[in-house]
Amino acid sequence: MWVPLKGEGKAEPTAFSWDDVKELELVAGRFQSSYSMYFSAFKDSIAGIHYTVESGRVGESYYALRNLPGREGVAVLLWGRVEDLKPLLGRARALGFKRALTVLPGEVESFGAEKIRKIKILAKELT
C-alpha cells in the first residue's frame, strides 16, 4: 500500500538485534517471516543495492526504513504495535520521503492511504 506521509513523527534512530524483535509481531512489512525480513533489512545487502535508510524505535515498536531500488519512496517494516505506524510514517516524511510502501494485515485501517490492491497470500507453516 502506498501511504501519503504527513507530520514529523517521534522516533529514536538506533540499531537493534534479532533478540530485540523476535518475540514481536511484524505488523507492517512484507509477508515473509519476521526473521526473513529482519535478515534482509540488516544482513542481506548486496553491493549496496538494498540498504536500510534508518532503523530504530518508535513508541513500543522497532522499525526499519529501506530504500526501494528504482522506485520513489521508502519501504516500511515495523515490529510491535500497529498503532506505532502513524508516527513512523511521520518520521519517514521528516527524512524527506513523500511515499511509503508496506503491507498491512486486512483488518488494519490505512490511515487515509491509497490502497493499490489487495492480495490473498496462501501459506503453509514449515516445521
Side-chain angles (χ1 to χ4, degrees):
M1 160 189 342
W2 283 108
V3 180
L5 303 179
K6 299 176 183 176
E8 301 234 349
K10 301 207 186 256
E12 175 189 346
T14 185
F16 58 89
S17 72
W18 171 245
D19 287 333
D20 294 321
V21 298
K22 70 181 178 182
E23 300 298 325
L24 300 175
E25 183 180 356
L26 181 63
V27 295
R30 301 207 185 245
F31 55 86
Q32 292 96 338
S33 73
S34 181
Y35 179 76
S36 173
M37 294 315 300
Y38 172 83
F39 190 84
S40 178
F42 297 105
K43 306 293 184 188
D44 196 18
S45 296
I46 301 171
I49 296 169
H50 301 285
Y51 68 94
T52 298
V53 175
E54 182 178 284
S55 66
R57 291 200 63 149
V58 60
E60 296 178 27
S61 303
Y62 291 87
Y63 70 90
L65 299 173
R66 300 193 65 206
N67 75 329
L68 295 166
R71 299 167 81 177
E72 291 184 31
V74 65
V76 175
L77 300 170
L78 182 67
W79 290 266
R81 301 175 333 132
V82 74
E83 295 84 6
D84 293 326
L85 181 60
K86 195 168 187 176
L88 177 55
L89 296 176
R91 176 62 182 162
R93 177 65 170 177
L95 291 172
F97 295 100
K98 295 185 176 163
R99 299 191 321 169
L101 180 65
T102 195
V103 177
L104 297 173
E107 71 277 359
V108 174
E109 289 297 319
S110 65
F111 304 110
E114 172 191 351
K115 289 186 180 182
I116 295 177
R117 67 180 156 253
K118 192 172 183 177
I119 312 168
K120 287 190 177 186
I121 300 171
L122 302 176
K124 180 177 181 181
E125 187 174 333
L126 300 175
T127 58

